[in-house]
Amino acid sequence: MTVPPAPARAALALALVLAGGAAGCRNRLRFAAAEIAAHRMLDGAPPTFMLGAATSAHQIEGGTHNDWTEWEKGRYPDGTPHVLDGASAARADDSWKLWPADVAALQLLGANTYRLGVEWSRLEPEEGTWAEASAERYRQMLAALRAANIAPMVTLYHFTLPLWLARRGGWEWPGAPEAFAAFAARAAAAFGGSVDLWCTINEPNVLVAKSYLAAQWPPGVKDPGRGAAVMAALMKAHALAARAIRAADTTDADGDGRPSSIGIAQNLRVFDPASANPIDGVAAGVADAFYNEAFSDAVSSGRIRLRIPRVVDIDEPYPALEGTFDYLGINYYTRDFVIGHVRGDRGPYEVTAPPELPRNDMGWEIYPEGLYRLLVRSARYGWPLFVTENGIADNGGDRRADFIRAHVYALDRARAEGVNVVGYLYWSLMDNFEWSHGYRGRFGLFTVDFAFDPALTRRPTAAVPTFQEAARNIGGLR
Ligand code: PNW
């Protein structure tokens, strides 16, 4: 990858500075620990505030058979396995059978919302089919959640594809967006009786980065051009699926007058320049535009605009995108510091991590101020904002409570400034299959001993009382 010639870069830097964009104008913000400790979480939030936890189908269910199942068996050319320790999701949390334990865990938390996935490959194992037995199992789970006064948010695509679709080329197959919309229509018709909250696609940007830039997830490709084409395909898939869901889900499950509320869960990261060098500022702006803003920009404008100077330039009208967000889902974890490159073969930028900053067990900076910054900034689109994931890999379990307190504080600061934040879901309800990190990244509010506990008991971590405190503050737990 290359960057534009010097005059163009200077112009871009100037434009960014004038726009007060990503170039670090607020990065001195620092929350005071004493204020966080004294703060009443979710103070003043209405009882309709959606508080809960999130999971995804492949990461917890066990027994799935999709493109990841194949990837988990594979190795890189140097012999190292695709997944740490050669782990697989073959059993994972066994939630396909043990789901009542998940519902019990949510009840213990006082959660009123649960974001879970339905696995496309279970429901449509061959092209055009529909597995009624799988659908029936999901209907039982969803009905049990409703009976427990927990509103389900259903994710339709969370990184895993049916094999028949992967073999046709996955998201690069021109028929993929229509195939996804057809699946979404069937899922909406099958589950709409208990589901109002729909998340079409989880983290399109992470999928593109991991699968088509870093080559660490299936199909293991390193090609920015193909990655951008997949991003465009995911936008079209979302647009068509959102319209299909609106048409198919006519049942208002919770009686609030709206049968469906549709969005995506977008991964947002803060990109701060690594130094005062304007090249770093420009590179941070490029990363921010492609990674954080392109999808929302496409939905608000009805135009797919994807630009990485000299690498990718897509500009295509797609009016079906307009109006397809009822909310913007935000998955927030961390910040990157960006170093820009003028030339060379390392691409237009790379990210770096100053060693003195606090980090989770996967090396990601713990930066609650970033959640506040991104919420405030995302408000300009006008959509209700929904924190659909936020969490910490914390194997010792002693840092999660503070993490939650600090991030809910960040959310409350944004709300106090008038930002419409309608929900907060912690990732994850319980430890699960953390993709290429296998079982080493432990995000759960409940911990699971995959190695030595054949019953896979969901055991509460020290963060559960903190979550319960938040639930109590909105009247959700007595
Ligand atoms: C999200 N990264 O994924 C996902 O939605 C979850 O499936 C996942 O378990 C969770 O975050 C924790 O990782 C991400 O490398 C995966 O920056 C990787 C990254 C970010 C998010």
Side-chain angles (χ1 to χ4, degrees), residues 406-427:
H407 285 77
V408 173
Y409 172 80
L411 181 154
D412 285 340
R413 290 255 309 225
R415 281 196 313 111
E417 288 177 26
V419 178
N420 184 18
V421 189
V422 297
Y424 174 88
L425 306 179
Y426 179 82
W427 181 275

Side-chain angles (χ1 to χ4, degrees), residues 59 158 202-203 210 269 333 364 389 427 434-435 443:
Q59 292 177 273
H158 197 127
N202 181 69
E203 298 187 345
K210 290 287 190 182
R269 319 166 75 88
Y333 289 91
W364 304 355
E389 287 182 25
W427 181 275
E434 178 49 37
W435 308 112
F443 284 87

Side-chain angles (χ1 to χ4, degrees), residues 381-443:
Y381 288 108
W383 302 306
L385 306 179
F386 199 141
V387 178
T388 36
E389 287 182 25
N390 173 237
I392 178 173
D394 174 27
N395 298 9
D398 53 341
R399 298 200 289 166
R400 187 170 291 105
D402 286 347
F403 179 96
I404 291 173
R405 202 174 282 286
H407 285 77
V408 173
Y409 172 80
L411 181 154
D412 285 340
R413 290 255 309 225
R415 281 196 313 111
E417 288 177 26
V419 178
N420 184 18
V421 189
V422 297
Y424 174 88
L425 306 179
Y426 179 82
W427 181 275
S428 179
L429 177 61
M430 61 212 167
D431 295 341
N432 59 49
F433 177 73
E434 178 49 37
W435 308 112
S436 41
H437 293 262
Y439 295 97
R440 293 218 208 165
R442 290 177 173 264
F443 284 87

